[in-house]
């Protein structure tokens, strides 16, 4: 089972937490599958709110402790969120791209990585 150490993601300074939150929002705003689900309201008329909840959930997951993240758990979270919330099965490899970014970026470089992948 793969895991990553989140010590680089867990910074107690408010600015670092804001950067992490902004990076997650930017990442999700450039994820084509999620944007299609929002645009077409596959999650219902509150699809935009549901995407904000996904961003909040990811932020809490990535910032709550120094314990390593199980990459498979994070992958399952994204797959299940898209399937259960937006009735959308993602098979285009984009979740794996998201995982690459979420598990490897450091905050100052986050924007550059996001634009490189999407």
């Amino acid at each position: 089972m793969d895991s990553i150490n989140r010590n680089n993601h867990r910074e107690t300074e408010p600015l670092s937490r804001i950067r992490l939150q902004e990076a997650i929002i930017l990442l999700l705003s450039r994820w084509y599958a999620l944007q299609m689900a929002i645009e077409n309201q596959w999650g219902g008329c509150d699809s935009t709110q549901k995407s904000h909840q996904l961003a909040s959930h990811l932020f809490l997951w990535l910032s709550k402790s120094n314990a390593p993240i199980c990459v498979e758990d994070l992958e399952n979270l994204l797959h299940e969120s898209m399937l259960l919330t937006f009735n959308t099965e993602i098979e285009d490899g984009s979740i794996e791209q998201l995982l690459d970014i979420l598990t490897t970026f450091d905050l100052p470089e986050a924007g550059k990585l996001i634009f490189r992948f999407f």
Side-chain angles (χ1 to χ4, degrees):
M1 174 176 7
D2 292 335
S3 65
I4 59 163
N5 187 332
R6 291 190 292 176
N7 288 333
N8 292 339
H9 294 283
R10 173 98 162 86
E11 299 180 58
T12 57
E13 296 177 26
L15 182 59
S16 296
R17 292 177 59 83
I18 290 169
R19 285 185 185 149
L20 175 60
Q21 190 171 30
E22 289 173 346
I24 290 168
I25 291 167
L26 178 61
L27 178 63
L28 293 180
S29 74
R30 298 199 39 93
W31 185 18
Y32 183 73
L34 178 59
Q35 293 311 305
M36 288 294 298
I38 294 167
E39 182 180 321
N40 293 297
Q41 296 187 344
W42 295 338
C45 61
D46 59 344
S47 292
T48 300
Q49 178 62 29
K50 289 178 179 179
S51 72
H52 295 180
Q53 291 171 345
L54 176 58
S56 294
H57 198 137
L58 285 172
F59 173 75
L60 290 174
W61 233 58
L62 292 170
S63 66
K64 68 180 176 181
S65 78
N66 285 331
I69 295 173
C70 176
V71 176
E72 288 84 8
D73 289 346
L74 186 55
E75 182 176 11
N76 288 338
L77 168 75
L78 291 168
H79 274 290
E80 287 177 9
S81 291
M82 291 303 292
L83 183 60
L84 299 176
T85 305
F86 296 100
N87 197 31
T88 304
E89 182 119 10
I90 305 298
E91 297 178 348
D92 64 355
S94 61
I95 287 181
E96 290 75 15
Q97 288 179 325
L98 287 170
L99 289 171
D100 286 344
I101 295 169
L102 289 170
T103 59
T104 61
F105 73 76
D106 79 34
L107 295 175
E109 298 297 314
K112 292 178 190 173
L113 282 171
I114 291 165
F115 285 109
R116 189 179 79 200
F117 280 97
F118 291 99

